[in-house]
């Protein structure tokens, strides 16, 4: 039986595509896939260049991720492995750099300052633990695309990867610049970049499914900001209950 390769489109009957080498059994992601061992074990086998993957994530994020989810997997690093690597790199830098995200926390109201502290202290925990919430929201907002929950998880893992990479660049910049007054502004610029990037990725990812681009943009912005707003809301309630 001839199967069409999801990566390059070649038809063949073997176990591997004769043109690009991807397994012909490549299929859609499921939750079992994400939890499954074969997927997690590959963390230690980053067979493709991480840098090629990061470069495409920074130049055409949504298209790269959608194509990956839909089956073009050969040139892209497994996102869960990538997340582990960038989080380890972040932890390493956080430990050794003279500059810390906490240094530029400057909210003038107590509540805002406490929240900024929390996020500056545990950015990687925040980025990782928020993935399921982001996936629920994007799953609900973009049902028309017909992607399953696992595929929304994968999409949001890629988003978290880039946000952690941006935080790594932020840390390195802080260590190089070595001037806190400047870094307060640089740090704001990085926050804005995070919002712009997250929205851009989601917008591009779902662009084939929505004709009305303004509505798509609003949905993308909502998908990016709503989980964060809900998080802040929940956090304020917990803080109020404590105090
Ligand atoms: Zn192929």
């Amino acid at each position: 039986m001839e199967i069409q390769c999801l990566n390059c489109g070649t038809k063949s009957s073997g176990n591997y595509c004769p043109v690009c080498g991807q397994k012909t059994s490549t299929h859609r992601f499921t939750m079992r896939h994400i939890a499954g061992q074969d997927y997690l074990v590959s963390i230690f086998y980053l067979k493709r260049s991480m840098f090629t993957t990061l470069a495409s994530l920074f130049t055409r994020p949504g298209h790269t991720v959608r194509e990956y989810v839909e089956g073009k997997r050969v040139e892209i690093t497994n996102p869960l492995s990538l997340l582990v690597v960038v989080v380890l790199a972040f932890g390493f830098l956080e430990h050794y750099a003279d500059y810390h995200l906490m240094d530029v926390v400057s909210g003038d109201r107590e509540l805002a300052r406490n929240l900024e502290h929390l996020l500056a202290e545990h950015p990687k925990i925040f980025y990782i633990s928020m993935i399921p919430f982001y996936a629920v929201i994007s799953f609900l907002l973009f049902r028309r695309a017909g992607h399953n929950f696992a595929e929304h998880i994968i999409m949001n893992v890629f988003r978290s990867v880039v946000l952690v990479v941006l935080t790594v660049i932020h840390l390195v910049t802080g260590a190089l610049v070595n001037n806190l007054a400047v870094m307060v502004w640089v740090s704001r610029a990085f926050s804005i970049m995070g919002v712009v990037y997250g929205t851009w990725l989601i917008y591009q990812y779902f662009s084939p499914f929505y004709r009305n681009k303004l509505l798509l943009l609003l949905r993308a912005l909502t998908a990016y900001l709503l989980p964060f707003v809900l998080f802040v809301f929940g956090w304020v309630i917990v803080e109020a209950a404590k105090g």
Side-chain angles (χ1 to χ4, degrees):
M1 190 182 76
E2 291 223 316
I3 305 169
Q4 185 165 16
C5 172
L6 285 179
N7 187 60
C8 70
T10 309
K11 284 190 176 144
S12 68
S13 53
N15 289 331
Y16 292 88
C17 169
V19 175
C20 71
Q22 174 160 292
K23 275 186 189 163
T24 48
S25 61
T26 300
H27 42 64
R28 287 183 73 168
F29 290 107
T30 60
M31 288 312 285
R32 221 180 54 199
H33 216 105
I34 290 177
Q37 249 191 340
D38 58 331
Y39 204 65
L40 290 178
V41 160
S42 62
I43 281 172
F44 301 101
Y45 301 94
L46 295 179
K47 53 182 177 178
R48 294 290 154 177
S49 164
M50 271 180 50
F51 294 99
T52 317
T53 303
L54 289 177
S56 26
L57 283 176
F58 274 101
T59 48
R60 47 193 299 279
H63 298 315
T64 304
V65 174
R66 187 188 59 253
E67 287 163 9
Y68 177 85
V69 164
E70 290 178 344
K72 279 185 131 185
R73 315 246 168 96
V74 165
E75 280 161 28
I76 298 298
T77 307
N78 164 343
L80 289 170
S81 317
L82 204 53
L83 187 61
V84 170
V85 171
V86 297
V87 162
L88 288 177
F90 177 78
F92 180 82
L93 275 167
E94 199 184 30
H95 192 78
Y96 290 102
D98 286 332
Y99 169 82
H100 300 279
L101 299 179
M102 293 280 282
D103 298 344
V104 291
V105 168
S106 63
D108 38 332
R109 297 177 55 189
E110 202 195 336
L111 206 60
R113 196 167 51 239
N114 288 348
L115 177 67
E116 271 193 77
H117 260 272
L118 179 75
L119 297 182
E121 229 176 338
H122 310 289
K124 51 184 190 289
I125 296 174
F126 176 76
Y127 290 143
I128 294 171
S129 61
M130 285 297 280
I131 289 172
F133 298 101
Y134 272 99
V136 168
I137 302 278
S138 62
F139 181 70
L140 294 175
L141 279 172
F142 296 101
R143 270 164 312 185
R144 189 191 293 176
H147 285 183
N148 66 35
F149 186 65
E151 291 166 334
H152 280 270
I153 292 264
I154 297 287
M155 189 263 280
N156 284 290
V157 169
F158 274 113
R159 191 187 50 83
S160 288
V161 163
V162 174
L163 294 181
V164 175
V165 170
L166 282 177
T167 315
V168 165
I169 300 173
H170 179 176
L171 275 184
V172 173
T173 314
L176 293 176
V177 168
N178 202 15
N179 176 331
L180 281 188
V182 172
M183 284 316 292
V184 168
W185 289 99
V186 172
S187 139
R188 282 176 194 162
F190 272 103
S191 305
I192 294 169
M193 265 191 270
V195 177
V196 172
Y197 181 86
T199 310
W200 179 32
L201 188 157
I202 300 169
Y203 177 93
Q204 213 173 56
Y205 186 100
F206 293 107
S207 58
F209 308 104
Y210 292 83
R211 202 175 287 165
N212 186 331
K213 297 304 173 194
L214 180 65
L215 274 181
L216 174 61
L217 181 65
L218 289 176
R219 265 168 210 271
L221 204 57
T222 309
Y224 186 69
L225 292 177
L226 185 61
F228 183 71
V229 170
L230 291 177
F231 167 82
V232 172
F233 195 67
W235 178 80
V236 167
I237 290 174
V238 170
E239 286 292 295
K242 266 199 260 171

